[in-house]
Amino acid sequence: MKVCFAFLFFLLAFKQLSAYVVDTSQIRTHYQKALLWNEEKKTAQAATMAQQALSELKEIKNPPLDLEVGLHNILGDCALEAGNYIDAIKRYESAKDLIEKKGSKDGLLMAEVLNKLGNYYREIKEFGKAEGYLREALGIRKNILGNWNLKIADSYVNLGHCMNYIGDFDKALDFHQQALAIRTDLLPSFHPKIAQCYNNIGLCLDDKKEYDQALKAYHQAIEGYTVSYGKDHRDIADVYLNIGNIYGKLESIDTFIYYQTLALNIWLKTYEPDHPLIALAYNNLANAYDEQGNSEKAFQLFQKSLAIRISKYGEIHPDVAAIYFNMGLSYCWKENWSKAMETFQKCFRALNYKPGYLPTFQQVNDPILLLRLLQIVPEIPLHAYRESGEIGQLLEASSYFEQSDLLIDFLRTSYEAVGSKLMLANTAQDIYDTAIEITLALGELTNDKNYLRQAFQFSEKSKGILLLDALKKTEAGSFSGIPASTIAELKSIESDIGEMEKQRFLAWESKAEINNTLVDSLSNLIFQQKEALSKLIRNIEEKYPQYYNLRYATSTIPIDWLQENLLRPKQTIIEYFLGNNYLQIFVINKNDFNTKRIAITPEFRRALETINHSIRSFPYVSSTDLPKVIRQYASSANYLYTFLIAPIKTLIEETLIIIPDEELGFLSFETLLSSLPDSLSLFKTYPFLVKDYTISYNYSTGLFKEMVEHKNKKKLKPYLGFAPEFYDGNAKNLSNLKYNYEEVLGAKKSVGGQILFSHEATKSNFLQQQAVYKIIHLATHGKANNTAGDYSFLAFSENAEEQGDDALLYVREIYNLSTNAEMVVLSACETGTGELQKGEGIASIARSFSYAGAKSLIATQWSVDDKATSRLMHLFFDNIKRGLPKDLALRQAKLTFIETGSSKNIHPFFWASFIPIGNMEQLSFRSEWHSSGWFFGAFAALGFFYLLFIKFRTK
């Protein structure tokens, strides 16, 4: 009987086990179907199947965790796609709770849920939370799967969206391009996930204003989606919307409406009428109709979009803020100022920001929209001020720009990618333009010089911030307690990135098919190194906040401090700010501070172009055209003098430190003429500005301070000169320089030291030896790159190991050098010119040596004559040996050159290209050992005489 019961029990248990196996197998089949439909965006079918499978799973005791979690994830995805955000977050949180309650050690399962949560918060525009979840998921996945896996690509896509939304467009582009590389390698051609990458890349390029490249990426996305889904899929509608947006920015409104309507029609067939994507299409179409003047239709669509978004998100959300912003702009165009301000205030609230309070930007849900809002809103009180003249309106406008300034600082320290910081600098330049105008107007109305000082601080904020960051690295490392090993690691990664980016640029330039694989490989390595750098910087920010604050502090130098600590008697700082409609000049002397404002005319900008062209082309024009070119130079040089110097002539001393702005950075001020010459052919009689003033240059007063106070190593050798030789057939077809050896030899005779010439003047020798010399003198070829400033270069001698590009020193490489030079003389063509980066300055070879730590530079603004340069440098180094300050030494050399020269050989082309930058203090060539020797010698002599005295006294 016991045996029978045992057998019966066994049968029941077997039946239960079999049912479990069968049921689980069926549920897995349902799960796989739901998963496939979810990927294909067949949301309704996926949700129905997943819900059915989840119901079946509840009938099983201890169901498999991966199935239960996976089904919750699918249902969360379907809810998110449908815009049901409450349901979506409930599903994802349920999945996470299940894993935690069961204590699962399946890291990939948790990473999947964390990625879903990150994607959810990205969708609802809570990017701080989103990035935290996404980076945690990515870390787990990398530890288990390595760097090359489709799950890794999924994480990169979501992180790319986060970076793009906060405005770090270059960082976003890195993520999306890396996701594309992985997916292209591991998925079939025309897979929808590859198409998704092209759409994401298009968004980044669109935000970077590279519209042609963005359109190309969008059309690649459409091609991929069409192969997978056909022509009327919701993802294709997304691309149509993005294409339409570009045409809107290009002011092709009909084409914009066409693409927006295509997207809307697809979404209306796919989603419920209250879906967020339909609200997006309504918003975009409203903007288009408003542009066309159809305000009634526009506001109907704005209201429909607003109603959907508020119902989905509530009042505080960036998408709600975007509607209010667009409506406020529409009221501004109609000059309904009160309604515009009322609507903009709603926009502030939707952004979770209270203007007028102590700003805290961490809680703002769309900082880029806030920056645009803070730029637009002041126009309303400005308009009121122009009508009423009430100073309160001007004060209100000024307060908004003060908040813009703080937000720019916040964003600048938030971005990792240099390209994104440059784009922010570009936007900031326009904001500071109006901010300076308003602040100076307040100064004039109130006679309060504090407003003038504030205007000057805005001007400073618009110049060379990235360079200032670089120069503050050393100071930050010295005073923040950060380990030297951490600084070394940071520098090593930055150096590796720079070298690989250079190699990739050269591969791109060669345009050879064989280099495609190399470019892809380098891009992958660069991305991995950038991620390592990003992680290290985040760790430094967390563990060593003092270092981070010292390096990225955004405070500017007070004028009082400049006057007390930096300016010498009879020395004047002249800082220019070149706005859209006016030229602002700030003049700082030892004991006073003044400003001048001059309206810009079309003739002013034409004169800037004319003077540069007429000087640079002088040796190359025909004898027939020569009189015309000389006349153009003289008239433009005199015209610019009336703009740049004459208005402040009574305010300036005899030594000038000029801080130019924008296109003024290409101008050699010494060539300006205080009057038109009596005889155009007698250059010796020209009233050049160099005859009246000693002139040097800097990038900003903050950078001037850094270059003056920067402490270089002691016990440096005096001088290192390089004179490369360029034989026929060299890879870059560079002509041989006849006088460069004579140039460095003359300098050595003046100040001592060492020279390397011919086959010894190699790039590797320079890199090995440059760090231990007080003066570095490079008499070689240089070439500016006006479109990619980081790839301007200096050329060195070629040998068997270093040929072609390997014998060139690029700006991108110089950034990562550490030099201790008190002066770098760049006696090569075009070392002070290059790509103009709005809001940052000219990306030149000289500027890169400033990054590397040089205290001063002598640079050139155009191609220089070899023989004339040799003569000028001999005169300059003789003056340096005499103990003259660097700016005065160069000025005296130029004056001697002009006085002793003959005929056309003293035209500005031959001497004015050289400009001094940075710390102009004189150089000392007495070594510390030499000084201490004098001390000990004197001490020994005293001791000797003392002994003699004692000896004679005892006799």
Side-chain angles (χ1 to χ4, degrees):
M1 190 61 135
K2 288 181 181 179
V3 174
C4 289
F5 276 120
F7 182 69
L8 182 61
F9 177 78
F10 173 77
L11 285 174
L12 288 171
F14 180 77
K15 185 177 179 182
Q16 274 195 320
L17 182 62
S18 301
Y20 177 86
V21 172
V22 170
D23 289 346
T24 303
S25 175
Q26 289 174 349
I27 293 169
R28 284 198 182 277
T29 301
H30 295 159
Y31 168 69
Q32 291 299 329
K33 283 184 180 179
L35 194 63
L36 180 63
W37 284 333
N38 186 39
E39 289 180 357
E40 293 176 352
K41 301 293 179 67
K42 295 177 180 177
T43 308
Q45 297 99 309
T48 301
M49 182 61 72
Q51 189 60 62
Q52 178 187 334
L54 195 59
S55 299
E56 293 169 352
L57 204 61
K58 288 178 181 177
E59 301 298 321
I60 299 174
K61 189 178 180 181
N62 296 322
L65 182 62
D66 65 318
L67 269 181
E68 198 170 4
V69 169
L71 289 167
H72 278 296
N73 282 341
I74 291 172
L75 288 167
D77 291 349
C78 293
L80 191 62
E81 181 70 17
N84 297 326
Y85 298 107
I86 294 174
D87 290 345
I89 189 62
K90 283 181 179 178
R91 292 294 183 181
Y92 295 140
E93 290 288 3
S94 295
K96 185 170 179 286
D97 288 344
L98 281 168
I99 297 171
E100 290 172 344
K101 284 176 183 176
K102 294 195 176 182
S104 171
K105 295 182 180 179
D106 188 341
L108 288 178
L109 198 60
M110 178 57 89
E112 184 71 15
V113 176
L114 293 172
N115 190 64
K116 299 285 186 186
L117 284 164
N119 187 48
Y120 165 80
Y121 284 110
R122 178 186 66 78
E123 280 287 332
I124 66 168
K125 312 293 174 62
E126 293 189 26
F127 293 100
K129 284 185 179 179
E131 187 178 354
Y133 280 119
L134 292 170
R135 287 199 178 276
E136 188 178 354
L138 178 62
I140 296 170
R141 285 174 167 177
K142 278 190 171 183
N143 285 337
I144 298 171
L145 302 172
N147 293 325
W148 206 255
N149 187 278
L150 291 174
K151 290 295 183 182
I152 303 296
D154 293 345
S155 291
Y156 288 156
V157 166
N158 287 334
L159 281 166
H161 284 308
C162 287
M163 296 300 104
N164 201 52
Y165 202 84
I166 64 171
D168 198 346
F169 304 131
D170 273 36
K171 182 72 174 175
L173 189 58
D174 284 344
F175 276 123
H176 289 310
Q177 287 177 331
Q178 189 69 2
L180 176 63
I182 294 171
R183 288 176 174 179
T184 302
D185 187 41
L186 301 178
L187 292 171
S189 301
F190 298 109
H191 191 283
K193 285 199 170 186
I194 294 175
Q196 181 195 46
C197 286
Y198 283 121
N199 187 42
N200 295 336
I201 288 169
L203 284 169
C204 295
L205 295 169
D206 184 348
D207 285 325
K208 286 164 62 69
K209 300 181 181 178
E210 297 176 17
Y211 298 131
D212 288 342
Q213 292 301 313
L215 285 171
K216 183 179 177 182
Y218 286 145
H219 285 295
Q220 285 176 290
I222 287 176
E223 185 180 3
Y225 279 139
T226 302
V227 171
S228 299
Y229 300 139
K231 293 183 177 179
D232 291 329
H233 193 269
R234 67 191 70 178
D235 287 345
I236 293 178
D238 188 30
V239 187
Y240 286 153
L241 189 92
N242 296 335
I243 291 174
N245 287 341
I246 287 185
Y247 285 108
K249 292 169 187 174
L250 297 174
E251 299 184 357
S252 180
I253 303 302
D254 289 339
T255 309
F256 172 75
I257 291 174
Y258 169 75
Y259 278 105
Q260 299 297 318
T261 305
L262 279 179
L264 177 60
N265 289 339
I266 293 173
W267 285 335
L268 285 170
K269 295 175 188 175
T270 308
Y271 297 117
E272 295 297 319
D274 64 344
H275 194 278
L277 287 174
I278 292 172
L280 176 60
Y282 286 154
N283 173 64
N284 291 357
L285 284 167
N287 286 328
Y289 289 122
D290 204 28
E291 190 85 15
Q292 289 184 332
N294 191 343
S295 301
E296 185 177 349
K297 189 167 184 178
F299 269 82
Q300 287 174 357
L301 289 168
F302 278 138
Q303 293 296 345
K304 289 174 74 173
S305 180
L306 184 63
I308 293 171
R309 287 180 169 180
I310 290 175
S311 71
K312 292 291 183 182
Y313 308 126
E315 284 283 355
I316 299 177
H317 191 273
D319 287 355
V320 173
I323 299 286
Y324 285 131
F325 180 78
N326 292 333
M327 292 171 72
L329 283 180
S330 183
Y331 284 125
C332 284
W333 293 335
K334 297 178 184 64
E335 298 189 2
N336 188 343
W337 304 110
S338 60
K339 197 68 177 174
M341 182 58 88
E342 178 187 332
T343 308
F344 284 142
Q345 292 302 324
K346 291 179 181 177
C347 184
F348 279 123
R349 286 195 293 275
L351 289 169
N352 203 25
Y353 182 78
K354 292 182 179 180
Y357 292 79
L358 185 64
T360 52
F361 299 112
Q362 284 82 359
Q363 85 283 359
V364 171
N365 51 46
D366 189 344
I368 298 302
L369 181 57
L370 177 60
L371 188 61
R372 292 176 64 198
L373 183 60
L374 288 171
Q375 188 176 5
I376 293 293
V377 170
E379 293 297 326
I380 298 173
L382 270 179
H383 174 80
Y385 166 73
R386 293 185 189 111
E387 288 194 340
S388 67
E390 292 182 10
I391 193 171
Q393 302 290 350
L394 210 54
L395 287 167
E396 182 182 351
S398 176
S399 72
Y400 286 113
F401 281 110
E402 289 173 7
Q403 294 170 75
S404 295
D405 177 43
L406 293 172
L407 178 55
I408 289 165
D409 289 342
F410 171 79
L411 290 172
R412 184 177 64 79
T413 55
S414 301
Y415 295 164
E416 291 182 12
V418 171
S420 302
K421 292 186 179 186
L422 286 172
M423 285 195 69
L424 178 63
N426 193 327
T427 302
Q429 184 83 354
D430 292 331
I431 292 172
Y432 289 132
D433 187 351
T434 311
I436 289 170
E437 183 179 1
I438 292 172
T439 308
L440 288 173
L442 282 167
E444 291 173 9
L445 287 169
T446 61
N447 291 320
D448 185 347
K449 278 210 166 187
N450 285 321
Y451 284 115
L452 308 188
R453 290 182 171 87
Q454 186 180 25
F456 175 72
Q457 303 306 323
F458 285 147
S459 176
E460 279 284 290
K461 286 284 192 75
S462 74
K463 293 177 171 63
I465 292 295
L466 297 185
L467 176 54
L468 187 58
D469 284 351
L471 293 188
K472 287 164 71 175
K473 278 185 191 178
T474 305
E475 176 191 358
S478 301
F479 296 103
S480 60
I482 188 169
S485 59
T486 303
I487 296 291
E489 184 183 2
L490 188 70
K491 188 169 180 61
S492 174
I493 296 174
E494 289 175 336
S495 180
D496 288 345
I497 291 171
E499 176 60 26
M500 288 187 290
E501 285 185 335
K502 183 197 78 171
Q503 295 298 333
R504 183 174 64 178
F505 173 81
L506 296 174
W508 272 333
E509 271 209 325
S510 69
K511 297 178 182 177
E513 289 294 327
I514 195 170
N515 284 326
N516 289 343
T517 302
L518 175 61
V519 167
D520 291 343
S521 176
L522 285 168
S523 295
N524 179 46
L525 290 171
I526 290 166
F527 178 83
Q528 299 302 335
Q529 285 293 81
K530 282 184 176 179
E531 279 295 276
L533 180 63
S534 176
K535 182 178 180 181
L536 181 59
I537 289 172
R538 288 197 302 273
N539 288 339
I540 288 172
E541 184 179 7
E542 183 180 338
K543 294 181 180 178
Y544 309 100
Q546 189 180 3
Y547 170 84
Y548 198 83
N549 292 335
L550 279 170
R551 177 169 176 182
Y552 296 109
T554 54
S555 58
T556 50
I557 311 301
I559 291 172
D560 295 345
W561 191 94
L562 286 171
Q563 292 171 320
E564 184 177 346
N565 296 283
L566 283 187
L567 275 174
R568 301 194 303 267
K570 296 187 177 182
Q571 192 176 54
T572 301
I573 294 174
I574 306 174
E575 179 162 319
Y576 294 93
F577 181 91
L578 194 56
N580 294 321
N581 302 309
Y582 67 90
L583 172 70
Q584 188 64 46
I585 311 175
F586 300 94
V587 183
I588 307 173
N589 290 311
K590 188 72 175 170
N591 298 311
D592 62 2
F593 167 62
N594 294 277
T595 67
K596 284 287 181 181
R597 176 187 176 83
I598 304 161
I600 290 176
T601 64
E603 291 77 16
F604 171 76
R605 294 195 184 275
R606 280 199 294 270
L608 272 178
E609 293 178 7
T610 301
I611 190 172
N612 287 326
H613 173 74
S614 60
I615 292 176
R616 288 157 171 73
S617 64
F618 173 78
Y620 311 112
V621 297
S622 66
S623 56
T624 306
D625 293 332
L626 193 57
K628 177 185 174 183
V629 169
I630 294 172
R631 191 165 54 252
Q632 286 175 336
Y633 158 65
S635 60
S636 59
N638 178 239
Y639 184 83
L640 290 172
Y641 175 89
T642 65
F643 259 82
L644 300 171
I645 301 298
I648 56 171
K649 185 172 174 57
T650 58
L651 302 173
I652 57 180
E653 302 285 355
E654 59 193 43
T655 301
L656 308 180
I657 301 167
I658 292 176
I659 300 173
D661 191 42
E662 299 296 301
E663 295 91 337
L664 292 177
F666 296 113
L667 177 66
S668 175
F669 279 71
E670 293 163 307
T671 64
L672 302 183
L673 301 176
S674 57
S675 62
L676 287 172
D678 295 329
S679 173
L680 289 175
S681 60
L682 296 176
F683 299 130
K684 194 171 292 189
T685 65
Y686 275 37
F688 298 121
L689 197 65
V690 69
K691 294 182 177 181
D692 299 325
Y693 302 101
T694 301
I695 297 173
S696 67
Y697 300 81
N698 220 303
Y699 306 109
S700 71
T701 57
L703 289 160
F704 178 36
K705 173 182 180 291
E706 290 296 324
M707 295 176 89
V708 168
E709 295 185 340
H710 182 63
K711 297 291 187 285
N712 287 340
K713 286 183 179 178
K714 296 181 179 180
K715 301 177 184 176
L716 294 171
K717 298 176 183 179
Y719 170 89
L720 176 64
F722 272 75
E725 193 166 5
F726 302 96
Y727 298 102
D728 291 341
N730 65 79
K732 289 292 183 180
N733 294 317
L734 299 170
S735 61
N736 200 27
L737 298 171
K738 296 180 180 179
Y739 300 95
N740 65 336
Y741 175 66
E742 181 183 318
E743 180 182 329
V744 296
L745 186 63
K748 180 187 175 184
K749 287 178 181 177
S750 295
V751 298
Q754 179 185 3
I755 59 175
L756 297 177
F757 64 96
S758 188
H759 63 278
E760 291 186 330
T762 61
K763 176 180 171 181
S764 56
N765 279 342
F766 170 76
L767 295 174
Q768 289 166 14
Q769 300 190 40
Q770 61 83 25
V772 295
Y773 286 90
K774 183 174 291 189
I775 298 175
I776 298 169
H777 181 185
L778 301 171
T780 183
H781 280 293
K783 181 63 179 174
N785 189 322
N786 296 328
T787 56
D790 282 0
Y791 299 101
S792 301
F793 65 77
L794 290 168
F796 290 84
S797 294
E798 294 184 357
N799 58 26
E801 291 76 31
E802 297 177 16
Q803 295 184 14
D805 292 317
D806 291 335
L808 305 178
L809 182 65
Y810 287 90
V811 162
R812 191 67 185 82
E813 297 172 282
I814 301 171
Y815 287 153
N816 293 311
L817 284 181
S818 289
T819 187
N820 293 294
E822 293 194 21
M823 181 170 70
V824 176
V825 180
L826 299 169
S827 183
C829 298
E830 304 175 350
T831 55
T833 189
E835 178 191 9
L836 176 60
Q837 298 169 335
K838 187 175 180 182
E840 182 62 21
I842 298 169
S844 66
I845 298 168
R847 192 181 185 87
S848 66
F849 274 102
S850 299
Y851 271 82
K855 294 186 73 171
S856 66
L857 304 119
I858 306 297
T860 57
Q861 293 190 302
W862 56 80
S863 297
V864 290
D865 178 79
D866 188 19
K867 185 176 181 179
T869 295
S870 178
R871 180 170 168 239
L872 189 66
M873 286 297 101
H874 286 176
L875 294 168
F876 170 66
F877 275 101
D878 282 346
N879 292 334
I880 288 291
K881 179 62 177 176
R882 287 168 50 207
L884 295 183
K886 299 158 202 164
D887 51 354
L888 183 57
L890 187 57
R891 180 197 177 200
Q892 293 291 0
K894 290 175 178 179
L895 293 176
T896 302
F897 186 95
I898 293 168
E899 281 299 313
T900 59
S902 60
S903 186
K904 69 177 185 180
N905 291 331
I906 56 172
H907 182 274
F909 171 84
F910 296 99
W911 55 266
S913 178
F914 285 90
I915 60 169
I917 303 167
N919 179 359
M920 293 294 109
E921 293 174 354
Q922 63 264 49
L923 292 167
S924 170
F925 294 97
R926 288 196 312 163
S927 71
E928 291 180 354
W929 291 106
H930 186 67
S931 300
S932 60
W934 276 105
F935 173 77
F936 286 116
F939 185 79
L942 285 171
F944 175 73
F945 285 116
Y946 177 75
L947 290 172
L948 283 178
F949 175 73
I950 294 297
K951 181 178 180 181
F952 282 111
R953 281 196 60 183
T954 56
K955 283 187 175 181

